Amino acid sequence: MNSKVYLVTGVGSGLGSAVVAQLASGGAEVIAAARSSGPLEKLRGHAEPRGWKLTPFYGDLAAPGVAEELVETIRQRGGRIDGASLQTGRWIGGDTLLHRTTDAEWADGLRSNLEATFRVARAILPLFLAQGHGALVLVSAADRVRMAGNASYCTAKGGLVDLTRKLAHDYRPLGIRVNAVLPGTMEHDLPTFDPPDPGTALKLRNAVGVGAWEVARTIGFLLGDESRWITGAAIPIDGGYSLHGREPDP
């Protein structure tokens, strides 16, 4: 990761912070975008004594013009950007049946889970094009998670999978890779910002939530040179829960 520059959006207390820490601890410079300052300031305080290169950006990336401000920040820092992880989004509650879905719930699901990704991707792709390379990772959700949400959440997260394939198809000749990760239900609280040792094999059990570090490691792989021949992939990270398979013996 040395000399690499990455953008991470949707930085909060969970996955976004884990992705920033995963990349920055490996030597990359990270521009970290968040709507509010609390979690990102804690991460920044953790990063400084460790020598991690972290640039914060605050703003609602779903709002018009904010993604362009973010790209201008990147330009002011030299304009180089090797990849971006876009995990802006949130769970949308409400009735799961479409005929009882309100206008507000429908609009909220699409805006919260699609709008910012569209705006940031549109703004950053010209930087990739100017360089002739770039890696983009979108964060959707595993099948079981999408189906458990209301209609707008499911539509938005499913749309991110199709958007991944569309972008991978269209930008492949231009040297730009686009992939997606599909996490299961995640454990959002990080006891530490220091990436843990992956350790040995885990029991693949439905009762165990997906650790944010499991997802962050996959995103780091997809952004790095080791995955340079992978584009258009949508990788589920739920321990096989969405497969409805038999549970391992106790």
Side-chain angles (χ1 to χ4, degrees), residues 193-248:
F193 291 131
D194 291 315
D197 188 311
T200 56
L202 296 174
K203 291 281 189 180
L204 301 177
R205 307 192 66 86
N206 294 346
V208 179
V210 180
W213 295 110
E214 303 298 329
V215 183
R217 280 192 288 269
T218 305
I219 291 174
F221 167 73
L222 291 172
L223 289 175
D225 294 335
E226 295 87 352
S227 62
R228 63 187 182 183
W229 205 241
I230 300 174
T231 190
I235 301 176
I237 311 173
D238 67 350
Y241 186 33
S242 292
L243 299 175
H244 304 273
R246 183 177 66 85
E247 284 279 81

Side-chain angles (χ1 to χ4, degrees), residues 124-210:
I124 203 170
L125 279 167
L127 296 182
F128 288 164
L129 291 171
Q131 299 170 161
H133 71 90
L136 192 62
V137 177
L138 309 186
V139 178
S140 178
D143 290 352
R144 291 286 290 263
V145 176
R146 295 205 304 274
M147 293 303 173
N150 77 359
S152 65
Y153 178 85
C154 182
T155 300
K157 289 297 189 181
L160 288 172
V161 177
D162 275 349
L163 180 61
T164 296
R165 293 177 59 80
K166 170 66 173 169
L167 295 179
H169 172 273
D170 291 351
Y171 288 90
R172 178 176 181 261
L174 303 169
I176 298 170
R177 299 186 300 109
V178 187
N179 294 289
V181 294
L182 284 61
T185 302
M186 277 193 296
E187 300 169 350
H188 289 288
D189 293 329
L190 301 178
T192 176
F193 291 131
D194 291 315
D197 188 311
T200 56
L202 296 174
K203 291 281 189 180
L204 301 177
R205 307 192 66 86
N206 294 346
V208 179
V210 180

Side-chain angles (χ1 to χ4, degrees), residues 17 20-25 28-30 32 39-56 192-195:
S17 292
V20 171
Q22 186 74 30
L23 298 172
S25 65
E29 179 180 350
V30 182
L40 186 46
E41 284 303 310
K42 290 181 181 178
L43 179 58
R44 190 180 185 184
H46 185 87
E48 287 179 352
R50 288 162 175 78
W52 297 356
K53 292 171 283 189
L54 180 61
T55 300
T192 176
F193 291 131
D194 291 315

